[in-house]
Amino acid sequence: MQPLRARRVLLGITAGIAAYKAAELARLLVKDGADVQVVMTRSATQFIGAMTLQAITGRPVRDSLFDAQHEAAMGHIELARWAEVIVIAPATASTLAHLAAGTADDLLTTLCLASTAPLLVAPAMNQAMWAHPATQANIGVLSGRGTQLIGPAVGEQACGDQGAGRMQEPAQIRGAIHDLLMKSGALRGKRVIVTAGPTREAIDPVRFVGNRSSGKMGFAVASALVAQGADVTLVAGPVALPTPGGITRIDVESADDMHDAVFTSLPGAAIFVACAAVADFRPARAAEQKIKKTDETLVVEMIRNPDILSEVSASPARPFCVGFAAETHDVENYARGKLLAKGLDMIAANQVSASQGFEVDDNALLVLWEGGQQRLPMQSKSRLAAQLVELIVDRFNAQTATEDS
Ligand code: C5P
């Protein structure tokens, strides 16, 4: 899996001995699938060759505000908007001072000033320079503005000193970039609808037919989508769960209510994830008064409920559709059948039994799509949801890229 597939990372390199490690960082990010644009300060080119970084990233390195050819291809303001995250590794004391002061006297500092993307800095300098009150004050200013800091590490320095000032290792910086991008989100600006929980189909004013579903998986999926920046509407059947932060929740009872809430929210939605355990049938008529137990038997005529997911999938301007399939046996076959029958882009299937799937905190999924599949092993529903959402983002981006080309 390429967790940073098509994510846009602007990698700033400034003049420190650790600049050579930036090549390894660029390599790791490219391996993760990221589009990496390197921007070097002029002095950084004394420490590492631009050709090396160009070969690794497949993009010409930028180092000047006044390069007519590059500016014509993508002007510096465009480049500032292009970046989803800006990482400066290594970041010298001088660069930190410029960033803190807000000066824009070369391409890199200008980009930082012109961009709203999160900024991550990996300081690297002599330990005395790091400890100096001026540097510490600059770090304080930057942290106060939300700049993320990684390192510096403590150890032996190129100049022979011991202390804090070594650039953090590329693998650690890569981890911090992952975290930042997860928070900033691959689904920023996208509307997503999630259904969750059971539905209740009234037999009379006090009794209902329903499904065993706690709603936990759907709520976890909704949270994982929010963590990717999506604008999430959660249509929830009757469940005893608090609303996760950042979500618009619509509470419903029956399949019909859920159907109406989904279709009201549908215009403009990019993704629909149907986690709800919708009752397939409902009583043809709900009695107006409580049914008395006068007879030995009770016959309730049941009629089919609308299949919300199939209808959404068949609607014009349909969103990317993800379904769930809870099966007791032959999971893969049944799930593949549903993927085709409902015209879905992806289906997440799980084996259900008395101890697995419903009303528990852990679960495992087999995720299928046309031409591929992935098993997500048994783990907490929240971790599972995060992995499922990564797959959704992957497939959604791949499909959008195909449609655009
Ligand atoms: O056909 P089955 O109920 O197994 O399909 C499960 C998938 O379809 C789930 O994603 C569920 O949320 C969705 N579904 C629906 N409306 C129904 C029945 C199922 O949206 N009436």
Side-chain angles (χ1 to χ4, degrees):
M1 216 189 314
Q2 290 194 306
L4 298 186
R5 192 168 176 281
R7 304 305 299 270
R8 301 181 303 273
V9 180
L10 196 149
L11 174 58
I13 305 177
T14 70
I17 311 267
Y20 76 92
K21 290 191 192 170
E24 172 64 1
L25 176 59
R27 193 188 67 78
L28 292 173
L29 295 172
V30 168
K31 200 165 145 237
D32 285 341
D35 284 344
V36 181
Q37 173 64 60
V38 172
V39 174
M40 298 175 78
T41 58
R42 274 281 157 83
S43 357
T45 57
Q46 304 288 323
F47 290 85
I48 182 167
M51 284 306 287
T52 306
L53 291 148
Q54 175 169 328
I56 292 171
T57 61
R59 283 172 174 268
V61 168
R62 303 277 298 258
D63 64 4
S64 167
L65 255 177
F66 308 109
D67 183 317
Q69 199 191 338
H70 279 145
E71 280 292 309
M74 177 156 36
H76 62 274
I77 298 295
E78 250 178 290
L79 190 53
R81 290 196 189 122
W82 173 89
E84 283 184 82
V85 61
I86 299 181
V87 185
I88 306 183
T92 59
S94 162
T95 302
L96 296 175
H98 281 292
L99 293 174
T103 54
D105 54 1
D106 61 8
L107 178 60
L108 185 58
T109 48
T110 303
L111 288 170
C112 290
L113 211 55
S115 177
T116 54
L119 175 63
L120 175 71
V121 293
M125 64 199 73
N126 165 270
Q127 52 81 28
M129 290 169 79
W130 172 250
H132 196 284
T135 304
Q136 289 306 309
N138 290 331
I139 287 293
V141 168
L142 291 172
S143 301
R145 264 185 223 149
T147 300
Q148 304 276 316
L149 186 72
I150 177 156
V154 178
E156 193 177 334
Q157 302 207 289
C159 52
D161 278 6
Q162 280 280 340
R166 286 170 60 88
M167 186 174 91
Q168 194 60 267
E169 291 306 315
Q172 265 82 47
I173 301 174
R174 169 209 199 189
I177 295 169
H178 277 234
D179 290 349
L180 260 181
L181 281 174
M182 285 307 151
K183 268 193 237 145
S184 69
L187 295 175
R188 221 172 342 162
K190 303 276 183 249
R191 288 221 314 111
V192 181
I193 304 172
V194 180
T195 63
T199 63
R200 282 183 185 172
E201 313 299 328
I203 297 174
D204 68 16
V206 293
R207 304 188 182 90
F208 61 84
V209 179
N211 273 308
R212 279 180 63 183
S213 166
S214 64
K216 281 180 186 163
M217 192 65 211
F219 275 57
V221 168
S223 289
L225 286 160
V226 167
Q228 291 281 15
D231 172 5
V232 178
T233 301
L234 176 60
V235 182
V239 290
L241 292 172
T243 310
I247 281 172
T248 307
R249 173 170 175 174
I250 305 176
D251 285 313
V252 294
E253 283 264 329
S254 67
D256 256 349
D257 297 343
M258 185 171 274
H259 175 275
D260 292 352
V262 166
F263 275 85
T264 305
S265 312
L266 196 59
I271 300 175
F272 176 54
V273 187
C275 290
V278 183
D280 291 321
F281 294 91
R282 68 170 182 274
R285 285 163 303 279
E288 280 179 14
Q289 292 177 346
K290 187 178 172 193
I291 300 171
K292 295 293 171 199
K293 50 175 181 291
T294 43
D295 298 333
E296 281 309 304
T297 57
L298 171 68
V299 176
V300 179
E301 189 194 349
M302 303 287 278
I303 56 170
R304 279 292 287 270
N305 263 329
D307 189 314
I308 304 167
L309 179 55
S310 297
E311 281 189 34
V312 170
S313 165
S315 65
R318 70 191 281 285
F320 183 92
C321 288
V322 183
F324 272 72
E327 307 291 346
T328 51
H329 61 285
D330 211 1
V331 176
E332 183 171 344
N333 269 338
Y334 280 117
R336 241 189 227 288
K338 272 178 203 172
L339 182 76
L340 291 176
K342 298 196 187 211
L344 307 181
D345 301 287
M346 181 179 270
I347 194 155
N350 61 328
Q351 179 120 27
V352 286
S353 61
S355 61
Q356 192 185 316
F358 287 120
E359 297 173 335
V360 291
D361 289 328
D362 286 6
N363 205 357
L365 292 173
L366 170 65
V367 186
L368 306 169
W369 57 91
E370 196 193 329
Q373 69 175 62
Q374 183 149 343
R375 262 178 214 287
L376 302 178
M378 181 67 69
Q379 57 197 307
S380 72
K381 285 183 177 171
S382 62
R383 289 184 50 185
L384 197 61
Q387 292 181 7
L388 174 64
V389 167
E390 270 185 36
L391 288 177
I392 293 175
V393 168
D394 258 10
R395 298 306 309 154
F396 173 74
N397 284 340
Q399 217 174 74
T400 316
T402 317
E403 283 164 10
D404 287 350
S405 64

Short mmCIF file of all heavy atoms in Angstrom, two decimals, residues 195-197 199 211 255 258 262 272-281 304-312 322-327 334 338 342 344 346-348, ligand 1:
data_model
loop_
_atom_site.label_atom_id
_atom_site.label_comp_id
_atom_site.label_asym_id
_atom_site.label_seq_id
_atom_site.Cartn_x
_atom_site.Cartn_y
_atom_site.Cartn_z
N THR A 195 -24.18 5.66 6.67
CA THR A 195 -25.32 5.16 7.47
C THR A 195 -24.75 4.22 8.53
O THR A 195 -23.74 3.55 8.29
CB THR A 195 -26.37 4.41 6.62
OG1 THR A 195 -25.76 3.24 6.06
CG2 THR A 195 -26.94 5.29 5.52
N ALA A 196 -25.41 4.20 9.68
CA ALA A 196 -24.89 3.36 10.77
C ALA A 196 -26.04 2.88 11.65
O ALA A 196 -27.10 3.51 11.70
CB ALA A 196 -23.90 4.16 11.60
N GLY A 197 -25.75 1.77 12.34
CA GLY A 197 -26.73 1.26 13.31
C GLY A 197 -27.83 0.46 12.65
O GLY A 197 -27.83 0.22 11.45
N THR A 199 -32.09 -0.36 11.92
CA THR A 199 -33.34 0.40 11.78
C THR A 199 -34.40 -0.34 12.60
O THR A 199 -34.24 -1.53 12.89
CB THR A 199 -33.80 0.50 10.31
OG1 THR A 199 -34.08 -0.79 9.81
CG2 THR A 199 -32.76 1.19 9.45
N ASN A 211 -32.55 -5.14 13.70
CA ASN A 211 -31.33 -5.93 13.51
C ASN A 211 -30.41 -5.77 14.71
O ASN A 211 -30.44 -4.74 15.38
CB ASN A 211 -30.57 -5.42 12.29
CG ASN A 211 -31.06 -6.07 11.02
OD1 ASN A 211 -31.13 -7.28 10.94
ND2 ASN A 211 -31.40 -5.25 10.05
N ALA A 255 -36.23 2.21 8.14
CA ALA A 255 -35.51 2.19 6.87
C ALA A 255 -36.02 3.31 5.96
O ALA A 255 -35.24 3.95 5.25
CB ALA A 255 -35.69 0.84 6.19
N MET A 258 -34.48 6.46 7.04
CA MET A 258 -33.06 6.47 6.66
C MET A 258 -32.93 6.77 5.17
O MET A 258 -32.10 7.58 4.75
CB MET A 258 -32.42 5.12 7.01
CG MET A 258 -30.93 5.09 6.77
SD MET A 258 -30.18 3.58 7.43
CE MET A 258 -29.87 4.03 9.12
N VAL A 262 -30.98 10.00 3.69
CA VAL A 262 -29.83 9.82 2.78
C VAL A 262 -30.08 10.60 1.49
O VAL A 262 -29.21 11.34 1.03
CB VAL A 262 -29.60 8.32 2.49
CG1 VAL A 262 -28.66 8.13 1.31
CG2 VAL A 262 -29.03 7.62 3.73
N PHE A 272 -20.44 7.52 -0.51
CA PHE A 272 -21.52 7.02 0.35
C PHE A 272 -21.03 5.70 0.96
O PHE A 272 -20.63 4.80 0.23
CB PHE A 272 -22.79 6.79 -0.48
CG PHE A 272 -23.93 6.19 0.32
CD1 PHE A 272 -24.38 6.77 1.49
CD2 PHE A 272 -24.57 5.03 -0.13
CE1 PHE A 272 -25.44 6.21 2.22
CE2 PHE A 272 -25.64 4.47 0.58
CZ PHE A 272 -26.06 5.07 1.77
N VAL A 273 -21.05 5.63 2.28
CA VAL A 273 -20.63 4.39 2.95
C VAL A 273 -21.84 3.86 3.73
O VAL A 273 -22.30 4.50 4.69
CB VAL A 273 -19.45 4.62 3.91
CG1 VAL A 273 -18.94 3.28 4.45
CG2 VAL A 273 -18.31 5.37 3.23
N ALA A 274 -22.35 2.72 3.30
CA ALA A 274 -23.55 2.16 3.93
C ALA A 274 -23.14 1.10 4.94
O ALA A 274 -22.85 -0.04 4.59
CB ALA A 274 -24.47 1.57 2.87
N CYS A 275 -23.07 1.52 6.21
CA CYS A 275 -22.70 0.56 7.28
C CYS A 275 -23.94 0.05 8.00
O CYS A 275 -23.85 -0.87 8.80
CB CYS A 275 -21.86 1.26 8.34
SG CYS A 275 -20.24 1.68 7.80
N ALA A 276 -25.08 0.70 7.77
CA ALA A 276 -26.26 0.37 8.57
C ALA A 276 -26.73 -1.05 8.31
O ALA A 276 -26.61 -1.57 7.20
CB ALA A 276 -27.38 1.35 8.25
N ALA A 277 -27.25 -1.67 9.36
CA ALA A 277 -27.90 -2.97 9.23
C ALA A 277 -29.38 -2.68 9.05
O ALA A 277 -30.15 -2.64 10.02
CB ALA A 277 -27.65 -3.81 10.47
N VAL A 278 -29.74 -2.40 7.81
CA VAL A 278 -31.11 -1.98 7.51
C VAL A 278 -32.01 -3.21 7.53
O VAL A 278 -31.66 -4.24 6.95
CB VAL A 278 -31.18 -1.32 6.11
CG1 VAL A 278 -32.58 -0.80 5.82
CG2 VAL A 278 -30.15 -0.20 5.99
N ALA A 279 -33.19 -3.09 8.15
CA ALA A 279 -34.12 -4.23 8.14
C ALA A 279 -34.62 -4.42 6.71
O ALA A 279 -35.00 -3.45 6.05
CB ALA A 279 -35.29 -3.93 9.07
N ASP A 280 -34.55 -5.64 6.22
CA ASP A 280 -34.94 -5.89 4.84
C ASP A 280 -36.46 -5.79 4.66
O ASP A 280 -36.93 -5.45 3.58
CB ASP A 280 -34.46 -7.29 4.40
CG ASP A 280 -32.95 -7.33 4.29
OD1 ASP A 280 -32.38 -6.32 3.83
OD2 ASP A 280 -32.33 -8.33 4.70
N PHE A 281 -37.20 -6.12 5.72
CA PHE A 281 -38.67 -6.10 5.63
C PHE A 281 -39.24 -5.25 6.76
O PHE A 281 -38.62 -5.09 7.81
CB PHE A 281 -39.22 -7.53 5.77
CG PHE A 281 -38.85 -8.42 4.62
CD1 PHE A 281 -37.69 -9.18 4.66
CD2 PHE A 281 -39.66 -8.49 3.49
CE1 PHE A 281 -37.34 -10.01 3.60
CE2 PHE A 281 -39.33 -9.31 2.43
CZ PHE A 281 -38.17 -10.07 2.48
N ARG A 304 -41.14 -5.62 1.65
CA ARG A 304 -39.73 -5.25 1.45
C ARG A 304 -39.50 -3.77 1.73
O ARG A 304 -40.31 -2.92 1.39
CB ARG A 304 -39.32 -5.51 -0.01
CG ARG A 304 -38.97 -6.95 -0.31
CD ARG A 304 -37.69 -7.40 0.38
NE ARG A 304 -36.49 -6.83 -0.21
CZ ARG A 304 -35.81 -7.39 -1.19
NH1 ARG A 304 -36.20 -8.55 -1.68
NH2 ARG A 304 -34.73 -6.83 -1.65
N ASN A 305 -38.40 -3.50 2.35
CA ASN A 305 -37.96 -2.12 2.53
C ASN A 305 -37.17 -1.69 1.30
O ASN A 305 -36.64 -2.55 0.59
CB ASN A 305 -37.05 -2.02 3.76
CG ASN A 305 -37.80 -1.58 4.99
OD1 ASN A 305 -38.77 -0.82 4.88
ND2 ASN A 305 -37.38 -2.05 6.14
N PRO A 306 -37.04 -0.40 1.07
CA PRO A 306 -36.19 0.02 -0.05
C PRO A 306 -34.74 -0.36 0.24
O PRO A 306 -34.31 -0.34 1.40
CB PRO A 306 -36.35 1.55 -0.06
CG PRO A 306 -36.82 1.91 1.31
CD PRO A 306 -37.60 0.73 1.82
N ASP A 307 -34.00 -0.76 -0.80
CA ASP A 307 -32.56 -1.01 -0.62
C ASP A 307 -31.84 0.32 -0.87
O ASP A 307 -31.67 0.76 -2.01
CB ASP A 307 -32.08 -2.09 -1.59
CG ASP A 307 -30.65 -2.52 -1.25
OD1 ASP A 307 -29.80 -1.62 -1.03
OD2 ASP A 307 -30.38 -3.73 -1.19
N ILE A 308 -31.49 0.98 0.22
CA ILE A 308 -30.96 2.35 0.13
C ILE A 308 -29.69 2.37 -0.71
O ILE A 308 -29.52 3.19 -1.61
CB ILE A 308 -30.69 2.90 1.55
CG1 ILE A 308 -31.97 2.84 2.39
CG2 ILE A 308 -30.15 4.33 1.49
CD1 ILE A 308 -31.77 3.05 3.87
N LEU A 309 -28.80 1.43 -0.41
CA LEU A 309 -27.50 1.42 -1.09
C LEU A 309 -27.67 1.19 -2.59
O LEU A 309 -27.07 1.90 -3.41
CB LEU A 309 -26.62 0.32 -0.46
CG LEU A 309 -25.24 0.13 -1.04
CD1 LEU A 309 -24.43 1.42 -1.05
CD2 LEU A 309 -24.48 -0.95 -0.26
N SER A 310 -28.52 0.23 -2.98
CA SER A 310 -28.73 -0.04 -4.41
C SER A 310 -29.30 1.19 -5.09
O SER A 310 -28.91 1.53 -6.21
CB SER A 310 -29.68 -1.21 -4.62
OG SER A 310 -29.13 -2.37 -4.09
N GLU A 311 -30.22 1.86 -4.41
CA GLU A 311 -30.84 3.04 -5.04
C GLU A 311 -29.83 4.17 -5.20
O GLU A 311 -29.80 4.85 -6.21
CB GLU A 311 -32.02 3.54 -4.20
CG GLU A 311 -33.27 2.71 -4.42
CD GLU A 311 -34.49 3.34 -3.77
OE1 GLU A 311 -34.60 4.58 -3.72
OE2 GLU A 311 -35.34 2.56 -3.27
N VAL A 312 -28.98 4.36 -4.18
CA VAL A 312 -27.96 5.42 -4.28
C VAL A 312 -27.01 5.08 -5.42
O VAL A 312 -26.66 5.92 -6.25
CB VAL A 312 -27.19 5.59 -2.95
CG1 VAL A 312 -25.97 6.49 -3.14
CG2 VAL A 312 -28.09 6.15 -1.87
N VAL A 322 -19.75 2.47 -1.13
CA VAL A 322 -19.13 1.40 -0.35
C VAL A 322 -20.21 0.71 0.47
O VAL A 322 -20.96 1.38 1.19
CB VAL A 322 -18.06 1.97 0.62
CG1 VAL A 322 -17.37 0.84 1.38
CG2 VAL A 322 -17.05 2.83 -0.12
N GLY A 323 -20.29 -0.61 0.35
CA GLY A 323 -21.27 -1.36 1.13
C GLY A 323 -20.59 -2.25 2.14
O GLY A 323 -19.38 -2.45 2.12
N PHE A 324 -21.39 -2.78 3.04
CA PHE A 324 -20.91 -3.77 4.02
C PHE A 324 -21.70 -5.05 3.81
O PHE A 324 -22.85 -5.02 3.38
CB PHE A 324 -21.12 -3.25 5.45
CG PHE A 324 -19.96 -2.44 5.95
CD1 PHE A 324 -19.73 -1.17 5.46
CD2 PHE A 324 -19.09 -2.97 6.90
CE1 PHE A 324 -18.65 -0.43 5.89
CE2 PHE A 324 -18.00 -2.23 7.35
CZ PHE A 324 -17.78 -0.97 6.85
N ALA A 325 -21.09 -6.16 4.09
CA ALA A 325 -21.81 -7.43 4.00
C ALA A 325 -21.43 -8.26 5.22
O ALA A 325 -20.27 -8.58 5.42
CB ALA A 325 -21.42 -8.16 2.73
N ALA A 326 -22.44 -8.55 6.02
CA ALA A 326 -22.21 -9.42 7.18
C ALA A 326 -22.71 -10.80 6.78
O ALA A 326 -23.88 -10.96 6.43
CB ALA A 326 -23.00 -8.90 8.37
N GLU A 327 -21.81 -11.76 6.79
CA GLU A 327 -22.18 -13.10 6.33
C GLU A 327 -21.81 -14.12 7.39
O GLU A 327 -20.81 -13.96 8.10
CB GLU A 327 -21.43 -13.44 5.02
CG GLU A 327 -21.58 -12.41 3.91
CD GLU A 327 -22.98 -12.35 3.32
OE1 GLU A 327 -23.78 -13.27 3.59
OE2 GLU A 327 -23.29 -11.38 2.63
N TYR A 334 -20.39 -14.44 -1.36
CA TYR A 334 -21.58 -13.62 -1.17
C TYR A 334 -21.25 -12.14 -1.33
O TYR A 334 -22.02 -11.38 -1.93
CB TYR A 334 -22.21 -13.87 0.20
CG TYR A 334 -23.04 -15.14 0.23
CD1 TYR A 334 -22.70 -16.21 1.05
CD2 TYR A 334 -24.18 -15.25 -0.57
CE1 TYR A 334 -23.46 -17.37 1.07
CE2 TYR A 334 -24.94 -16.41 -0.56
CZ TYR A 334 -24.59 -17.47 0.26
OH TYR A 334 -25.35 -18.60 0.26
N LYS A 338 -22.70 -9.37 -4.00
CA LYS A 338 -23.35 -8.10 -3.64
C LYS A 338 -22.67 -6.91 -4.31
O LYS A 338 -23.32 -5.95 -4.70
CB LYS A 338 -23.31 -7.91 -2.13
CG LYS A 338 -24.51 -8.54 -1.48
CD LYS A 338 -24.52 -8.43 0.01
CE LYS A 338 -25.41 -9.55 0.53
NZ LYS A 338 -25.37 -9.69 1.96
N LYS A 342 -25.28 -4.87 -6.51
CA LYS A 342 -25.65 -3.51 -6.09
C LYS A 342 -24.84 -2.46 -6.85
O LYS A 342 -24.99 -1.28 -6.62
CB LYS A 342 -25.44 -3.34 -4.58
CG LYS A 342 -26.33 -4.29 -3.76
CD LYS A 342 -26.45 -3.89 -2.31
CE LYS A 342 -27.20 -4.96 -1.52
NZ LYS A 342 -27.96 -4.42 -0.40
N LEU A 344 -21.55 -1.73 -6.73
CA LEU A 344 -20.74 -0.96 -5.78
C LEU A 344 -19.31 -0.77 -6.27
O LEU A 344 -18.82 -1.51 -7.13
CB LEU A 344 -20.71 -1.69 -4.43
CG LEU A 344 -22.07 -2.05 -3.85
CD1 LEU A 344 -21.90 -2.73 -2.50
CD2 LEU A 344 -22.93 -0.79 -3.70
N MET A 346 -16.92 -0.71 -3.84
CA MET A 346 -16.16 -1.45 -2.83
C MET A 346 -17.13 -2.08 -1.83
O MET A 346 -18.19 -1.52 -1.57
CB MET A 346 -15.23 -0.45 -2.10
CG MET A 346 -14.35 -1.06 -1.05
SD MET A 346 -13.29 0.20 -0.31
CE MET A 346 -11.90 0.13 -1.37
N ILE A 347 -16.73 -3.25 -1.32
CA ILE A 347 -17.56 -3.85 -0.27
C ILE A 347 -16.65 -4.38 0.84
O ILE A 347 -15.56 -4.91 0.57
CB ILE A 347 -18.50 -4.94 -0.82
CG1 ILE A 347 -19.58 -5.30 0.22
CG2 ILE A 347 -17.75 -6.19 -1.27
CD1 ILE A 347 -20.85 -5.87 -0.38
N ALA A 348 -17.07 -4.18 2.07
CA ALA A 348 -16.30 -4.65 3.22
C ALA A 348 -17.11 -5.77 3.87
O ALA A 348 -18.24 -5.54 4.32
CB ALA A 348 -16.09 -3.52 4.21
O1 C5P B 1 -28.18 -7.07 0.92
P1 C5P B 1 -27.51 -6.83 2.24
O2 C5P B 1 -28.47 -6.33 3.27
O3 C5P B 1 -26.67 -7.92 2.76
O4 C5P B 1 -26.47 -5.66 1.88
C1 C5P B 1 -25.79 -5.02 2.87
C2 C5P B 1 -25.42 -3.64 2.41
O5 C5P B 1 -26.52 -2.94 1.84
C3 C5P B 1 -25.00 -2.79 3.59
O6 C5P B 1 -24.05 -1.88 3.12
C4 C5P B 1 -26.30 -2.11 4.00
O7 C5P B 1 -26.07 -0.92 4.71
C5 C5P B 1 -26.95 -1.87 2.66
N1 C5P B 1 -28.43 -1.93 2.70
C6 C5P B 1 -29.18 -0.78 2.46
N2 C5P B 1 -30.55 -0.84 2.46
C7 C5P B 1 -31.19 -2.01 2.68
C8 C5P B 1 -30.43 -3.18 2.91
C9 C5P B 1 -29.07 -3.11 2.93
O8 C5P B 1 -28.60 0.29 2.28
N3 C5P B 1 -32.51 -2.06 2.68
#
